[in-house]
Amino acid sequence: MEMPDIRTVLSPRSSEAGDFIEFPKKLYRDCRFYVPWFDRGMQRLFARKSPFFRHSDGEFFVAYHGTTPVGRIALFENRNFNSYTGNRDARFYFFDTENDQHTADALFNLAANWARSRGLTRLIGPQGFSSMAGGGILIQGFDQPPAMTMMGYNYPYYQELLESAGFCKYKDFVSAFLDPRTYQTPEKISRVASIAMKRGGFDLPRIRSRRQMRSMALEIGRLYNESWMDHEEFAPLTEEELLELTNDLTLVIDPKLLQVIRKDGDLAGFVLTFPDLTNALIKAKGKLNPCTLWRILREKRSTRRVIINGLGIHPRYRNNGGTAILYYALEKSVQDLDREVVGADLTQVAETTGLMLADLETLGARIYKRHRVYNLSL
């Protein structure tokens, strides 16, 4: 089969930009689990309006056979991350293609040359702009819906395409299912949390309004920078990136689901729990208009599933009861809603976090999805 022609997305209004957005929708048109990004969000990336592009760089590409799109890929040089970690990585993201090794090889060859031209020594992905963005391709759990766009869905053949192109496993990230109807914090953890709260000056203040939630959004973002600094995928987000991230999160989170831990008035930890809007996002097909917005708001008010994607405790409090309080807050986040929650999806847990995985087992969570990040030495 002939090798595809690969073209760069040069502007948000170019035909290539439209094909980059529409290709995966056509590829997954018969798949009930695929959730596309909103078109406006993608166009914003093409226009380099994300604060990521203040310090880093990236390009978007579409593969064609004649005039027909057959694949796509985005490539990023996260200079903040490389500078912080000492790595020389190029990241790929938004990788989608038909089940054709020639197309996949052509996209990855372009990616390798793009990285080498910048003096980068490793190609890794799928990985987004930061550790908060879900990474990896799905390799287990194809009969399960995704967690909105946080941890995406792909066809099973993606794994073979990557491995046949020479990529090796870097790390797996798992998702675990928790049934809030039967979940109860183990007695030992509850006891430690109770003692820590009484003796250590910890508190779980109730978040009652969206205004109150917005007022502490940036504070939570800053704590994220402090609480995740010992993770391999971490690099501090800039103030502008934190502001964008927290603005996005406050659009979808329900104040009743947000749990924060304070220590003598200072923010010490958080649990970010989101109403699962996956079904509404699938029906939206990437379009944001009055009809799809109404569906999303209706789903937000009625969904009985939640997604937990963001737990953090300041390092100084991990060994004096803070972690136990975090798990107690996790229980409250799924039991304080004004309706019965029948499923909680805990996402993006690295397989290398042995203590966290042991804690999930203790909490009665069941691993049911797995995403894999791959890397290729250049």
Side-chain angles (χ1 to χ4, degrees), residues 69-329:
V70 292
R72 70 172 191 171
I73 196 169
L75 302 175
F76 301 115
E77 180 186 1
N78 189 330
R79 296 183 184 129
N80 267 12
F81 176 84
N82 286 340
S83 175
Y84 183 79
T85 62
N87 291 349
R88 299 293 300 160
D89 291 347
R91 299 184 177 191
F92 71 90
Y93 200 48
F94 298 124
F95 168 73
D96 289 291
T97 179
E98 296 177 347
N99 190 6
D100 176 60
Q101 193 66 51
H102 293 287
T103 301
D105 287 346
L107 288 168
F108 289 133
N109 286 337
L110 177 143
N113 290 332
W114 187 91
R116 291 190 189 102
S117 71
R118 294 162 176 264
L120 306 178
T121 59
R122 183 172 68 159
L123 183 60
I124 186 167
Q127 278 192 332
F129 309 104
S130 74
S131 55
M132 283 294 286
I137 62 163
L138 183 68
I139 64 168
Q140 174 192 338
F142 294 100
D143 60 340
Q144 300 294 329
M148 298 192 281
T149 57
M150 296 176 182
M151 300 296 286
Y153 187 89
N154 56 261
Y155 288 129
Y157 65 75
Y158 279 42
Q159 181 175 4
E160 183 177 352
L161 291 179
L162 274 110
E163 293 176 0
S164 295
F167 283 87
C168 299
K169 173 186 172 181
Y170 165 66
K171 187 182 293 185
D172 284 356
F173 293 84
V174 302
S175 297
F177 177 81
L178 191 66
D179 189 339
R181 294 168 297 181
T182 58
Y183 169 67
Q184 186 173 3
T185 306
E187 182 181 352
K188 180 179 178 181
I189 295 177
S190 294
R191 187 168 62 251
V192 172
S194 177
I195 294 172
M197 291 180 69
K198 289 178 181 178
R199 299 179 181 175
F202 290 101
D203 184 33
L204 291 174
R206 188 80 177 262
I207 310 302
R208 300 183 180 277
S209 68
R210 184 166 299 279
R211 181 178 180 181
Q212 186 181 5
M213 179 177 67
R214 285 186 176 277
S215 70
M216 64 175 62
L218 196 55
E219 189 181 10
I220 293 173
R222 289 170 180 152
L223 179 58
Y224 160 79
N225 269 350
E226 296 176 336
S227 62
W228 281 67
M229 63 177 59
D230 55 351
H231 288 66
E232 288 181 297
E233 291 74 36
F234 172 80
L237 297 178
T238 65
E239 283 284 304
E240 195 176 3
E241 286 175 308
L242 286 175
L243 184 60
E244 180 186 62
L245 175 64
T246 53
N247 283 340
D248 289 345
L249 293 181
T250 53
L251 289 175
V252 294
I253 201 168
D254 187 323
K256 292 186 286 293
L257 289 172
L258 176 63
Q259 294 290 332
V260 297
I261 303 168
R262 291 200 176 275
K263 161 75 171 172
D264 299 327
D266 294 329
L267 191 66
F270 59 85
V271 178
L272 300 182
T273 304
F274 305 87
D276 188 350
L277 308 178
T278 300
N279 288 334
L281 296 180
I282 290 173
K283 293 175 182 177
K285 298 181 180 179
K287 307 297 183 185
L288 193 57
N289 53 48
C291 182
T292 58
L293 183 59
W294 176 79
R295 283 194 186 125
I296 291 169
L297 293 175
R298 184 180 64 175
E299 187 82 8
K300 186 175 180 179
R301 291 191 294 265
S302 63
T303 182
R304 297 175 66 194
R305 290 180 62 95
V306 297
I307 297 169
I308 303 167
N309 186 10
L311 292 86
I313 188 76
H314 197 286
R316 76 168 67 101
Y317 303 127
R318 289 176 186 170
N319 297 322
N320 61 355
T323 301
I325 297 174
L326 191 70
Y327 290 133
Y328 176 70

Side-chain angles (χ1 to χ4, degrees), residues 30-92:
D30 297 323
C31 176
R32 62 192 178 98
F33 291 139
Y34 180 71
V35 180
W37 275 46
F38 281 115
D39 297 355
R40 291 182 187 178
M42 292 302 309
Q43 289 164 348
R44 190 168 182 270
L45 293 179
F46 298 151
R48 306 300 194 272
K49 290 184 178 180
S50 166
F52 172 84
F53 293 106
R54 306 279 191 276
H55 57 73
S56 294
D57 196 13
E59 290 189 89
F60 305 83
F61 302 91
V62 184
Y64 294 86
H65 281 147
T67 59
T68 303
V70 292
R72 70 172 191 171
I73 196 169
L75 302 175
F76 301 115
E77 180 186 1
N78 189 330
R79 296 183 184 129
N80 267 12
F81 176 84
N82 286 340
S83 175
Y84 183 79
T85 62
N87 291 349
R88 299 293 300 160
D89 291 347
R91 299 184 177 191
F92 71 90

Side-chain angles (χ1 to χ4, degrees), residues 318-345:
R318 289 176 186 170
N319 297 322
N320 61 355
T323 301
I325 297 174
L326 191 70
Y327 290 133
Y328 176 70
L330 173 63
E331 177 183 359
K332 288 180 65 63
S333 73
V334 297
Q335 293 184 348
D336 280 359
L337 202 59
D338 56 6
R339 57 186 176 275
E340 184 183 44
V341 177
V342 300
D345 192 359

